[in-house]
Amino acid sequence: TQLLEQSPQFLSIQEGENLTVYCNSSSVFSSLQWYRQEPGEGPVLLVTVVTGGEVKKLKRLTFQFGDARKDSSLHITAAQPGDTGLYLCAGPSSNTGKLIFGQGTTLQVKP
Amino acid sequence: DAGVIQSPRHEVTEMGQEVTLRCKPISGHNSLFWYRQTMMRGLELLIYFNNNVPIDDSGMPEDRFSAKMPNASFSTLKIQPSEPRDSAVYFCASSRYRPDTQYFGPGTRLTVL
């Protein structure tokens, strides 16, 4: 069974700080996605990484896919209160194609 | 374009009652997914449809749960009878051809007393 483990589970930081969230697996994924979910809303897709070693940037967010396509990271520079939310990584199962989700990282950015 | 639409947004019911959750996927999308989210178990896939046909319902917890997709623009998830442990947020998502790019609705928060 393919699993995605995220760390840390919870993160509380001050505005302006940098942070990194990790998504790890022992299995190879053809792609990984990152979602952000705000309270009372559904997850919103931020990015999809496909190629091993790929780096994608979305304003202050930097996403990296591991060379072996078993892990990914999300780095936020100069975090702002608007970044607060639940960050989920997900990847398609190699057997079924269904999307497997990590348990999520809850980020709180204090002003 | 409108996103995925779910109704109701909130549902409070008593144990034993029937609950029906509704979803309208994004127009043109050919896959629809039902998820359940709880603090303990995170986001779990219950069932997904491709071209209105149920493909995998292995995540449906019990026979009390059933889902239908009578046409490309509408799906329902029904719980009968409901139990307190069914309390969760239920999400519907849709995708076009690529199951790894899903668009989620705002969810239905279900509370079973």
Side-chain angles (χ1 to χ4, degrees), chain B:
Chain B
D1 285 340
V4 175
I5 299 173
Q6 291 187 246
S7 66
R9 291 295 309 272
H10 301 273
E11 177 81 36
V12 180
T13 190
E14 293 187 346
M15 183 173 63
Q17 296 298 307
E18 178 180 297
V19 175
T20 299
L21 311 181
R22 297 174 176 79
C23 175
K24 177 178 170 55
I26 294 173
S27 177
H29 282 195
N30 64 329
S31 294
L32 184 141
F33 308 81
W34 282 102
Y35 290 89
R36 178 172 65 178
Q37 187 177 43
T38 61
M39 289 290 291
M40 291 297 293
R41 300 173 69 90
L43 202 57
E44 302 174 279
L45 178 66
L46 300 177
I47 185 171
Y48 81 93
F49 296 83
N50 193 43
N51 294 324
N52 311 338
V53 176
I55 302 301
D56 187 336
D57 65 354
S58 59
M60 296 285 262
E62 299 172 31
D63 291 344
R64 298 183 296 107
F65 286 69
S66 62
K68 293 182 180 179
M69 192 165 184
N71 56 62
S73 59
F74 184 66
S75 178
T76 59
L77 177 67
K78 186 177 293 186
I79 308 173
Q80 166 64 20
S82 58
E83 297 183 2
R85 58 190 169 126
D86 301 331
S87 297
V89 182
Y90 291 81
F91 289 103
C92 174
S94 70
S95 70
R96 184 178 181 184
Y97 304 123
R98 288 194 59 172
D100 63 348
T101 304
Q102 298 182 17
Y103 297 86
F104 283 75
T108 296
R109 180 173 293 276
L110 173 65
T111 303
V112 183
L113 303 174

Side-chain angles (χ1 to χ4, degrees), chain A:
Chain A
T1 304
Q2 290 175 288
L3 293 174
L4 286 169
E5 295 187 358
Q6 289 186 238
S7 61
Q9 276 191 284
F10 302 97
L11 195 53
S12 181
I13 61 172
Q14 293 294 134
E15 181 177 1
E17 292 183 8
N18 301 331
L19 67 115
T20 302
V21 176
Y22 300 93
C23 175
N24 295 303
S25 177
S26 59
S27 305
V28 174
F29 282 86
S30 59
S31 66
L32 281 180
Q33 294 76 44
W34 285 93
Y35 289 80
R36 179 169 66 207
Q37 184 179 11
E38 298 185 14
E41 300 295 331
V44 174
L45 180 64
L46 296 175
V47 77
T48 298
V49 286
V50 179
T51 306
E54 182 177 5
V55 176
K56 282 191 174 180
K57 291 192 175 184
L58 189 66
K59 297 182 180 179
R60 294 175 293 100
L61 278 60
T62 302
F63 305 85
Q64 185 162 8
F65 201 10
D67 290 341
R69 291 185 290 135
K70 293 182 178 181
D71 55 85
S72 181
S73 64
L74 158 60
H75 182 79
I76 301 179
T77 304
Q80 298 178 0
D83 296 327
T84 292
L86 176 68
Y87 289 81
L88 295 158
C89 68
S93 164
S94 58
N95 294 331
T96 65
K98 293 188 293 187
L99 211 53
I100 299 168
F101 281 86
Q103 77 272 35
T105 295
T106 299
L107 172 63
Q108 180 186 42
V109 182
K110 302 174 188 175

